[in-house]
Amino acid sequence: MSPTTTTTEVAIVGAGPAGLMLAHLLQRAGIDSIAIDIRDRAAIESTHRAGILEQDSVRLLVESGVSERVLRDGYRHAGIDLAFGGGGHRIDFEALVGASVQLYPQTDVFVDLADARARDGGDVRFGVGDVSVADLTTDRPLLRFTDADGVPNEVGARILVGADGSRSICRHEFPEARRRQFFREYPFAWFGILCEAPPSSEELIYSHSERGFALISQRTESLQRMYSQCDPAEDVADWSDDRIWEELQARVGANGYVLKEGPITSTTVLPFRSFVQEPMRHGNLVLAGDAAHTVPPTGAKGLNLALADVRVLAEELELHLAGDDGALDRYAERALRRVWRAQHFSYWMTTMLHRLPDASDFDVRRQVGELTSIVSSTAGSTYLAEGYTGWPS
Ligand code: DHB
């Protein structure tokens, strides 16, 4: 079958929150795009992801006109509890840095953006196959894919964007000699659950304990999200509801909290990894979001970083398409500055709160010493509050 050929200004590989937000922002600037994804919409909607939006992520949704649900159904959180050494200590974001975050799941951000694209007549194709990109260093890079009806497509664009997540195909198009990859693996993972129960706390509890880390988050008045540190090879099938509750209660109980229990409706093991690929631009291909960087989940920076990338990218793409030759490199530099700050923040929260498999008593006491410094110092608490609510760009 001969391919359907079209042209557009920006062709985006990946129609998760990063790809869709970029397409949405570009349309508002009068720039044409197409976004494609190998997953179908239902598969993306049913993947549970993190649930915390930094204040600038919320602002981006508000300023670009997709905030009806986040403002109506999200929950504003003006702080978190750090729990360790037998008690809880509130970090008051509002008092420390005059900012808050919004509890609103990533999947809902995706739904809002997908609906906005459909409403605005955006070209978004889910469930495509055979995706490839070519001619990246020419002024007419190509995106090829087979659409959900089996029709081969070839799209000529001015710029290609790889917003295709942690299993990105686009990042492999950077010649090895021209890219660097930075990795860090962690010897633990999170066992994540959703349960039908009332909230156990109004705000999130990040709980350090000798048995390992636990995070108590929420979703709605009747649905809660919780995580506990586990082995990366943990098999969810080995865990009955009773065993899960016993472990969670023991971890937060050590710090004086009691959880409200209920039926567990979903269990998953989430791997931990830090990753960055530099640079974020090769010829007329740029990367955004998880395609270029992954953070471990502690602190919920992944989606926020992806949204920060595409906000800057939309700005610089507009300049690039108007003839500013420095704009794409400027995007890569501006994005990477934030990426490395978030890499540090996520690594720091992770290593301060989790128990390493070979941790000695010294290591555990040292972590408690660090946590004590954070909560008993305005400078320490403010540092955490700034990072958690998100740095201005
Ligand atoms: C959630 C996930 C996180 O990684 C985090 O740090 C806070 C909240 C969540 O899914 O609610």
Side-chain angles (χ1 to χ4, degrees), residues 230-254:
C230 68
D231 190 284
E234 197 69 66
D235 183 354
V236 292
D238 293 339
W239 287 76
S240 65
D241 281 20
D242 284 350
R243 188 173 167 214
I244 293 171
W245 283 119
E246 201 180 310
E247 188 59 37
L248 279 167
Q249 295 284 18
R251 291 184 187 196
V252 301

Side-chain angles (χ1 to χ4, degrees), residues 148-204:
D149 300 321
V151 179
N153 276 256
E154 189 172 287
V155 183
R158 290 178 66 189
I159 295 291
L160 299 184
V161 176
D164 49 344
S166 56
R167 301 208 180 90
S168 173
I169 59 150
C170 292
R171 72 164 169 256
H172 299 295
E173 298 294 328
F174 285 56
E176 270 179 45
R178 309 186 103 231
R179 72 172 191 217
R180 274 191 82 182
Q181 296 186 329
F182 302 84
F183 287 99
R184 186 181 177 101
E185 305 285 343
Y186 299 81
F188 44 76
W190 275 1
F191 194 115
I193 65 160
L194 277 171
C195 65
E196 290 168 354
S200 294
S201 153
E202 277 181 18
E203 293 175 343
L204 273 61

Side-chain angles (χ1 to χ4, degrees), residues 42-320:
I44 305 178
E45 278 178 26
S46 58
T47 310
H48 300 301
R49 295 294 185 99
I52 292 288
L53 296 177
E54 293 174 1
Q55 66 167 1
D56 277 357
S57 298
V58 178
R59 188 172 302 144
L60 182 63
L61 295 170
V62 171
E63 287 176 357
S64 69
V66 278
S67 59
E68 195 188 315
R69 284 204 319 141
V70 69
L71 297 179
R72 190 190 64 209
D73 301 341
Y75 297 83
R76 201 180 72 88
H77 284 200
I80 56 167
D81 272 10
L82 278 186
F84 60 92
H89 307 262
R90 182 158 189 267
I91 305 286
D92 186 338
F93 300 153
E94 201 67 69
L96 290 161
V97 293
S100 58
V101 295
Q102 193 87 356
L103 181 89
Y104 189 70
Q106 172 167 336
T107 34
D108 287 289
V109 175
F110 166 76
V111 168
D112 294 346
L113 288 166
D115 286 350
R117 293 283 59 220
R119 178 197 67 204
D120 297 345
D123 191 352
V124 181
R125 319 280 184 92
F126 291 106
V128 307
D130 308 324
V131 178
S132 65
V133 293
D135 302 342
L136 305 175
T137 51
T138 72
D139 57 10
R140 189 38 111 209
L142 287 177
L143 166 64
R144 297 194 179 93
F145 64 93
T146 304
D147 69 21
D149 300 321
V151 179
N153 276 256
E154 189 172 287
V155 183
R158 290 178 66 189
I159 295 291
L160 299 184
V161 176
D164 49 344
S166 56
R167 301 208 180 90
S168 173
I169 59 150
C170 292
R171 72 164 169 256
H172 299 295
E173 298 294 328
F174 285 56
E176 270 179 45
R178 309 186 103 231
R179 72 172 191 217
R180 274 191 82 182
Q181 296 186 329
F182 302 84
F183 287 99
R184 186 181 177 101
E185 305 285 343
Y186 299 81
F188 44 76
W190 275 1
F191 194 115
I193 65 160
L194 277 171
C195 65
E196 290 168 354
S200 294
S201 153
E202 277 181 18
E203 293 175 343
L204 273 61
I205 307 168
Y206 286 80
S207 181
H208 172 273
S209 86
E210 301 215 348
R211 301 176 73 111
F213 173 71
L215 170 59
I216 309 309
S217 182
Q218 301 86 23
R219 284 294 176 266
T220 65
E221 291 311 312
S222 55
L223 189 68
Q224 312 310 323
R225 183 81 165 138
M226 302 182 191
Y227 303 95
S228 59
Q229 176 186 348
C230 68
D231 190 284
E234 197 69 66
D235 183 354
V236 292
D238 293 339
W239 287 76
S240 65
D241 281 20
D242 284 350
R243 188 173 167 214
I244 293 171
W245 283 119
E246 201 180 310
E247 188 59 37
L248 279 167
Q249 295 284 18
R251 291 184 187 196
V252 301
N255 296 318
Y257 295 85
V258 180
L259 301 174
K260 295 188 176 135
E261 300 185 8
I264 294 171
T265 55
S266 148
T267 50
T268 24
V269 172
L270 290 82
F272 268 57
R273 190 163 186 240
S274 300
F275 168 74
V276 180
Q277 174 164 310
E278 293 185 5
M280 286 169 69
R281 176 218 176 162
H282 168 61
N284 283 319
L285 171 65
V286 291
L287 301 178
D290 279 6
H293 42 76
T294 311
V295 288
T298 330
K301 282 279 163 269
L303 170 62
N304 292 295
L305 211 43
L307 292 177
D309 278 357
V310 297
R311 186 167 49 76
V312 173
L313 181 54
E315 257 173 56
E316 297 290 359
L317 274 176
E318 197 179 342
L319 294 172
H320 172 82

